[in-house]
Amino acid sequence: LVETIKPPEPVPSVIFAAILMGEGWAPATEQIALAVVVTGVMLMSYAESTFQLSGLLATLSANFNFALGNNISKVSFARIDRLDPLNFWYRTVQVSAIIALPAALAEVRANGLAPASMSFAVLLPVALLNGGSFFLYNQATCVILDNVKMSVHAVLNSARRAVLIAATALYFGSGFSWINLLGAAVAFVGFAFYLSRKFSDGAAAAVAAESTSAWPEAAA
């Protein structure tokens, strides 16, 4: 159930951007596309319906904080004394490491989670690859947030989650239920609708710009 609740995280991001950050509401087509893609991803991630209140509350809290964090990042990029997106995430990791590493080491010490030497040697390359990939992913996210509206980022982020779920299932051979396959189809339709509207809007804007630039010449 927790994995099914996590995909709607882009929705509060758009709501915060519209109400608290002054970005305004996204066009209806983007809202529809986001709703369809999020619904599809929720169905893709559905596996079982075991309910645990603590897990539900933790997931909702994570959605809220991720959404708020994305909006705070976007606001910081608009400041006069701003850091560019790449340096912003680099400095964020530096500060986070100062706070998180002592807490992580304390948890390892308290719970006896230190790995054996053999498993440590096996896991270290995987941990480094995972950490590097996560760092680059978040740097890319900061660059995207600096260049597009939150509603656009929300649709792209939902589509990314759909690709991640599909790739993970294929790689680990976990398979798909008919609900998961239905979700994949719904997410694909929603994202295809979003792209088609974006392309048609872009073409219409280009035609309007050409007409505007040609009008003074015709008048002359």
Side-chain angles (χ1 to χ4, degrees):
L1 183 61
V2 168
E3 289 301 320
T4 308
I5 297 172
K6 189 70 178 71
E9 177 260 314
V11 175
S13 294
V14 174
I15 295 175
F16 289 158
I19 298 177
L20 301 180
M21 306 303 174
E23 189 172 285
W25 292 105
T29 53
E30 290 184 8
Q31 295 183 36
I32 294 172
L34 178 60
V36 174
V37 174
V38 165
T39 301
V41 176
M42 290 179 69
L43 293 174
M44 286 184 70
S45 60
Y46 177 82
E48 45 82 28
S49 57
T50 302
F51 177 81
Q52 188 175 10
L53 181 60
S54 59
L56 173 64
L57 294 177
T59 304
L60 293 176
S61 175
N63 285 356
F64 176 88
N65 286 292
F66 270 113
L68 193 59
N70 285 337
N71 277 277
I72 291 174
S73 298
K74 191 167 181 62
V75 169
S76 72
F77 297 147
R79 291 172 56 92
I80 297 177
D81 58 344
R82 66 173 235 154
L83 290 173
D84 65 82
L86 298 183
N87 279 301
F88 174 85
W89 179 245
Y90 176 69
R91 295 302 181 188
T92 299
V93 170
Q94 284 185 320
V95 175
S96 300
I98 295 173
I99 299 172
L101 281 177
L105 292 175
E107 182 177 0
V108 168
R109 184 177 180 84
N111 295 281
L113 300 177
S117 58
M118 180 66 72
S119 62
F120 181 78
V122 173
L123 291 175
L124 181 60
V126 178
L128 292 176
L129 176 61
N130 181 67
S133 300
F134 185 72
F135 179 86
L136 293 175
Y137 155 70
N138 280 284
Q139 277 209 326
T141 297
C142 289
V143 173
I144 293 172
L145 281 171
D146 188 37
N147 288 279
V148 302
K149 295 179 64 175
M150 186 60 69
S151 57
V152 176
H153 174 266
V155 176
L156 296 177
N157 193 32
S158 296
R160 174 199 63 83
R161 189 183 296 274
V163 173
L164 179 62
I165 292 172
T168 302
L170 292 173
Y171 181 82
F172 290 102
S174 57
F176 293 96
S177 68
W178 69 268
I179 294 179
N180 302 144
L181 292 174
L182 174 62
V186 171
F188 176 80
V189 169
F191 192 58
F193 169 74
Y194 171 76
L195 290 178
S196 67
R197 296 305 305 170
K198 276 295 181 183
F199 285 134
S200 62
D201 291 346
V207 170
E210 290 180 4
S211 300
T212 302
S213 60
W215 173 251
E217 298 177 5

